[in-house]
Amino acid sequence: MELDPLLLSRIQFAFVISFHAIFPVFTIGLAAYIAVLEGLLFRTGNPEWERLSKFWTKVFAVVFGMGVVSGIVMAFQFGTNWSNFAYASANFLGPVLSYEVVTAFFLEATFLGVLLFGRDKVPKGVHLFSAIMVAVGTLISSFWILSANSWMQTPAGVELQNGMFQMTSWGEAIFNSSFPYRFSHMVVASFLTGAFVVAGVSAWYLLKGREVDLNKRALSMCMWLILFIAPLQAVIGDLHGLNTLEEQPTKLAAMEGHWESKAGAPLILFAIPDSADETNHLEIGIPYLASIILKHDVDGVVPGLKDVPADERPPVGPTFWSFRVMVGIGLLMIGVGLWGAWLRFRGRLYDQPLFKRVLVAMIPAPFIAVLAGWFVTEIGRAPWLVYGLMTQAEGLTPSLTGGMALFTLIGFIVVYSVVFAAGLYYLVRIVRTGMEEVEAHDEHPEHHRAKRPFSAADVPLEGDSGAPATAR
């Protein structure tokens, strides 16, 4: 059997970016939460805020490290698997990715060092400033990455000349038409991810009866955030969808599962898309609702996949179902936020065991939603690498063989599986160990100061996870 280097390269990049994406999306939300905790500590001097901040900073340090490790190889793939694309887009993507490293990664890495090792060594205001700079750095990083990805979705500010994109407007390229929607959608998704993880872990502690007062505070903060930003995400998602309708109508048709352009189009809730026969099986829909949502007109015309040749359509099934997974989880998040508000109104936010178990079960939900959203974005763009200008086949490395792509794919799966398993195991140990007591005074603080970034997590890899950490 002949191996297809294009298909294997697409699978490889999808695997790597899916693995990597869950870490920055968590760190963006968690960095903002830590900055808020440090702000409350600075304002009130209450050591309880310090305990919360120290605990979640440990988690942040491990997740940040895993994100860096998993993200490094992504840039190498541009050279190994997508060299034509790397050459063609170098005028834009080269500087943009460099700006991300210079303005964001260095900022995060520098001030993360102060955040991890500077407590009680630098003035409290400097420590708070470091926490804020780490949070700002994560946002700047997402700004550049989302700008680059949005440019691939809605290219602007360039002209393709002799196989290379020449810049005509940096402003139009960076702030391309889909960028505001993608950036805001991802930032809010990151805040939701951080909120649901912190809420789930706090609920687990409350179920175990550990650090009750402290985890009530954390849970309360997260439920307020979820209550307001989960519906906001739905609004941003709707605006994003309207932009996709205008800029990438074929992707929108795959998301909606529409084969024919039609007025008064239904909102399809369930279907089994059949690309070979260009139809849906077992379709269940709500009449006219797609036209109302997308066109704000009951008789509005919604585009169909048959508007373009078959070789210019994305894989319909994965795009269609990924979109429904993302939207379904989003609606579930809104429901959890409303449920929490109702329990708070009745004074039972912390006393409802079922609600706390649901929060624990919801910890993976935002990660699944983020991955589903990325699948919609990336699979729905196919067969284009730069929408309307360069196909995935045109961007592939000419000398790449199927065997080479398969070999590196297997290597990534093995290495990433080890990294993910080790990181997840260590994160679970940090959570099971719990929060430290704040020491009133230490005559020899250097004896307890971490010497390396990873040891700042301060939890041994082996031994009783419920015992106080001692490894440095």
Side-chain angles (χ1 to χ4, degrees), residues 406-422:
L406 180 62
F407 177 77
T408 52
L409 172 60
I410 294 173
F412 282 132
I413 291 174
V414 171
V415 172
Y416 276 35
S417 297
V418 172
V419 171
F420 185 81

Side-chain angles (χ1 to χ4, degrees), residues 180-186 188 229 231-242:
Y181 307 102
R182 296 178 192 282
F183 179 63
S184 55
H185 202 44
M186 180 56 70
V188 175
I229 67 171
L232 175 64
Q233 182 71 318
V235 174
I236 296 172
D238 179 62
L239 296 173
H240 190 183
L242 296 177

